[in-house]
Amino acid sequence: MELYFLGTGAGMPSKQRNVTSIALNLLDERGTYWLFDCGEGTQQQILNSPVKLGRTEMLFISHLHGDHLYGLPGLLSSRSYLGGDTPLTLYGPPGLKRFVETALEVSGAHLTYSLNIVEIDQEGVIFEDPSFIVETARLEHRIECFGFRIIEKDQPGKLMHDKLAALGIPAGPVYGQLKQGLTVQLEDGRTLHGADYLGAPIPGRIVVILGDTRYCQGAEYLARGADVLVHEATFAMDKQELAYSFDHATSHDAAKIARDAGAGALILTHISSRYQGDAVTELLQEAQQLHANSYVAKDFWNFEIPRKAFLNEM
């Protein structure tokens, strides 16, 4: 599991940063990518990245401002041209369905895959399957805006092969059944309970990706205990009043959320074009004063999210 940043700028593209889009690489977990926001030019950014549009399974739109949305019609059409034929689900605020259907109808686009659009009308769980849960909450922005909490469910612990071998049980189908936590009746009459032969569960990872927001309780709620928090940092601290008036956050605001919520790594994105080159260091230093494990994202940068079990062994 890793985050890949396709666009990290705010408002409009600059020479250093395209507008917002983030890919969550789940190739190892489910063979797919999930995308978060789709600003203008996202499909061009994908062409210069390892992200495979045809293997994108879901796309989450935090809000309907252009720098998070205007790349969507082109991306949907290109997915067909690139051979994408598996279903794609879009999640986003009310109005997303009308925007997409109008753009496709007016342009005469024809999709070669099934497109499902889910408009988010309340907070809470919007997706769940045996492996993942996605929870959303409202943020404070000029229009309806959501953040997303991606929860990987805990995985069964490692099967105790040595313990089974000591009982004279050879590797085979029984091992697979026990790995699933099932109870197995052996031919010799012995009964084995899967839970007795599994190590401690492997904790799942939690990734939180927020849309545009100023400091708010919704952001802190979603960020609680996250392994990684991706938070906008449009401005530095000296622009606090400006940030608040436009419903945006400073690097200090983002770091305070990460600290108070007990998040692991903090990644700052949605950077104003006024911060070019070394000026970005100011944002990072301000965040690190409150939350040492902070980073500033840049286009085509990836951040790997190891499992907690691996972290504990390091």
Side-chain angles (χ1 to χ4, degrees), residues 139-142 210-220 231-232 240-241 243-250 253-254 257:
L139 305 175
E140 291 188 12
H141 196 48
R142 287 178 289 158
L210 304 182
D212 292 0
T213 185
R214 60 188 179 187
Y215 186 94
C216 69
Q217 290 184 343
E220 186 172 340
H231 197 299
E232 73 131 287
Q240 183 72 63
E241 291 186 7
Y244 190 85
S245 65
F246 283 96
D247 290 331
H248 281 297
T250 65
D253 293 331
I257 290 288

Side-chain angles (χ1 to χ4, degrees), residues 16 275-281:
Q16 284 76 34
Y275 302 103
Q276 302 285 341
D278 293 341
V280 175
T281 304

Side-chain angles (χ1 to χ4, degrees), residues 2-301:
E2 71 172 7
L3 289 163
Y4 192 91
F5 290 83
L6 296 163
T8 58
M12 58 183 293
S14 66
K15 292 182 178 180
Q16 284 76 34
R17 299 176 184 273
N18 198 54
V19 285
T20 299
S21 185
I22 302 168
L24 181 60
N25 180 344
L26 297 174
L27 291 179
D28 290 341
E29 291 74 21
R30 57 196 299 127
T32 62
Y33 292 93
W34 291 359
L35 293 181
F36 293 81
D37 286 327
C38 188
E40 180 183 356
T42 293
Q43 63 172 318
Q44 185 68 37
Q45 297 290 94
I46 288 176
L47 291 175
N48 293 296
S49 80
V51 177
K52 303 301 181 184
L53 187 53
R55 300 184 72 172
T56 300
E57 176 189 18
M58 292 193 283
L59 203 163
F60 301 85
I61 300 295
S62 63
H63 64 295
L64 303 185
H65 277 157
D67 59 321
H68 297 252
L69 179 69
Y70 283 169
L72 191 51
L75 182 142
L76 295 177
S77 298
S78 293
R79 189 173 187 266
S80 287
Y81 302 146
L82 294 172
D85 56 8
T86 55
L88 177 66
T89 301
L90 305 184
Y91 292 89
L96 177 62
K97 184 178 179 68
R98 180 160 57 95
F99 173 84
V100 171
E101 291 182 345
T102 299
L104 296 179
E105 178 185 356
V106 170
S107 64
H110 173 69
L111 304 184
T112 59
Y113 54 89
S114 173
L115 179 64
N116 182 34
I117 303 175
V118 179
E119 293 193 335
I120 305 169
D121 57 6
Q122 60 184 2
E123 299 175 303
V125 174
I126 59 172
F127 172 82
E128 182 172 4
D129 72 0
S131 302
F132 284 90
I133 299 173
V134 180
E135 182 182 6
T136 190
R138 285 185 171 87
L139 305 175
E140 291 188 12
H141 196 48
R142 287 178 289 158
I143 62 174
E144 184 91 307
C145 185
F146 291 93
F148 302 99
R149 178 179 174 90
I150 303 97
I151 304 165
E152 180 186 35
K153 294 183 179 180
D154 293 350
Q155 295 188 350
K158 294 181 179 180
L159 188 65
M160 299 176 182
H161 293 81
D162 292 345
K163 187 175 181 180
L164 290 168
L167 295 174
I169 302 171
V174 169
Y175 278 39
Q177 294 171 338
L178 294 173
K179 177 68 175 176
Q180 297 177 49
L182 301 176
T183 296
V184 178
Q185 184 79 38
L186 300 179
E187 293 182 359
D188 61 12
R190 287 181 292 173
T191 299
L192 304 180
H193 301 285
D196 295 335
Y197 301 93
L198 291 175
I202 301 172
R205 292 158 287 187
I206 299 175
V207 180
V208 176
I209 300 174
L210 304 182
D212 292 0
T213 185
R214 60 188 179 187
Y215 186 94
C216 69
Q217 290 184 343
E220 186 172 340
Y221 169 79
L222 289 176
R224 65 194 188 285
D227 294 276
V228 181
L229 168 63
V230 180
H231 197 299
E232 73 131 287
T234 308
F235 299 104
M237 279 182 63
D238 63 346
K239 298 291 189 296
Q240 183 72 63
E241 291 186 7
L242 181 64
Y244 190 85
S245 65
F246 283 96
D247 290 331
H248 281 297
T250 65
S251 52
H252 183 272
D253 293 331
K256 188 174 186 300
I257 290 288
R259 182 196 65 187
D260 295 349
L266 168 65
I267 301 177
L268 306 177
T269 188
H270 200 267
I271 308 299
S272 169
S273 59
R274 72 183 64 207
Y275 302 103
Q276 302 285 341
D278 293 341
V280 175
T281 304
E282 178 185 359
L283 301 175
L284 179 61
Q285 290 175 342
E286 289 180 354
Q288 289 177 334
Q289 289 175 7
L290 290 182
H291 191 79
N293 193 20
S294 297
Y295 306 84
V296 176
K298 59 183 179 180
D299 290 15
F300 308 118
W301 179 69

